[in-house]
Amino acid sequence: MKRDKVYGPACYAVAISPDNKTCFSCCSDGNIAVWDLHNRTLINQFQGHTDGASCTDISTDGTKLWTGGLDNTVRSWDLREPTQKLETYEFNSQIFSLGYCPKDDWVAVGMESCFIELFNVNSSITEKYQLQKHESSVLSLKFSSGGDWFVTTGKDNQLNMWTTPHGYSIYQSLEASSVLGCDISEDDRFIITGSGDKKATLYEVLY
């Protein structure tokens, strides 16, 4: 394995394109750096956030990049025309986590304020939901591969599991310290979390 070192602004989050050719990194200066993974070179930079870009996700067809920022906005970028910023969505709190639903046109954001908001990005639909079970910042968010549910984790030591899009609570767990990140297996059978006490916890999803 070859490791390259690149020096620049702090990197808060990364996402890799579905074809594994491109990496997008969210930087503390608000920019999104675009990397060619094969040649290990910086090939583009998206500018838009006025504060740190904190989280990101890519649509399942690889055409749109979603980014959340500490400037209280979510932005979408058209990867077919990288110079074009599609939309900007404004919120009342800093965005700490974000996910794009692989099934429908839903985006979920986890905020510093402890709220989760889901909104439909289809221009003909105006549905929007606000969820609250966390008591502190929502640090990570991940949709299942099927898109029927998603999980969030928080500074309040909680893992929560929700239905898409209405946000009915279907599971909750309390860990020993802040839950900093999470991921879901490709077959939606397992959830893994990483927490501030240097532990990883594996959950089995039973239907």
Side-chain angles (χ1 to χ4, degrees):
M1 179 182 293
K2 184 177 180 180
R3 183 174 67 178
D4 294 324
K5 291 184 178 180
V6 178
Y7 297 94
C11 177
Y12 290 159
V14 298
I16 296 176
S17 61
D19 61 7
N20 296 318
K21 293 181 179 179
T22 310
C23 177
F24 304 88
S25 58
C26 293
C27 301
S28 59
D29 61 3
N31 294 329
I32 314 300
V34 186
W35 302 89
D36 182 320
L37 290 177
H38 177 72
N39 296 312
R40 301 184 177 91
T41 56
L42 179 67
I43 57 175
N44 204 345
Q45 192 164 244
F46 300 163
Q47 298 177 333
H49 290 286
T50 58
D51 201 344
S54 55
C55 49
T56 185
D57 200 5
I58 301 177
S59 62
T60 49
D61 62 5
T63 61
K64 291 182 184 178
L65 179 76
W66 295 88
T67 60
L70 303 182
D71 58 357
N72 298 15
T73 68
V74 167
R75 299 170 188 263
S76 65
W77 313 82
D78 188 345
L79 298 180
R80 296 164 296 186
E81 299 181 25
T83 58
Q84 180 184 6
K85 182 167 73 263
L86 284 181
E87 298 286 349
T88 299
Y89 305 86
E90 296 185 358
F91 295 85
N92 295 322
S93 177
Q94 292 180 323
I95 311 300
F96 279 7
S97 53
L98 174 149
Y100 179 84
C101 179
K103 182 179 180 181
D104 296 303
D105 291 329
W106 292 95
V107 171
V109 296
M111 293 184 280
E112 186 271 339
S113 64
C114 83
F115 289 105
I116 299 156
E117 290 198 14
L118 281 89
F119 61 97
N120 197 293
V121 297
N122 187 325
S123 59
S124 64
I125 299 176
T126 57
E127 282 185 277
K128 188 176 181 180
Y129 300 95
Q130 187 178 79
L131 316 178
Q132 184 183 17
K133 263 191 177 295
H134 288 283
E135 298 173 358
S136 188
S137 305
V138 183
L139 301 179
S140 70
L141 187 154
K142 182 74 175 181
F143 276 97
S144 63
S145 297
D148 295 323
W149 51 272
F150 65 99
V151 295
T152 58
T153 70
K155 191 176 179 181
D156 57 0
N157 306 5
Q158 289 188 38
L159 175 143
N160 285 293
M161 189 173 179
W162 317 82
T163 62
T164 309
H166 302 100
Y168 299 126
S169 177
I170 51 180
Y171 181 75
Q172 186 178 52
S173 177
L174 189 66
E175 298 193 10
S177 67
S178 297
V179 189
L180 306 178
C182 67
D183 205 353
I184 303 172
S185 63
E186 189 173 352
D187 60 6
D188 292 340
R189 291 185 56 206
F190 298 97
I191 300 167
I192 191 166
T193 63
S195 58
D197 58 0
K198 303 179 182 179
K199 292 181 180 178
T201 303
L202 184 66
Y203 298 83
E204 183 177 8
V205 180
L206 301 175
Y207 293 91

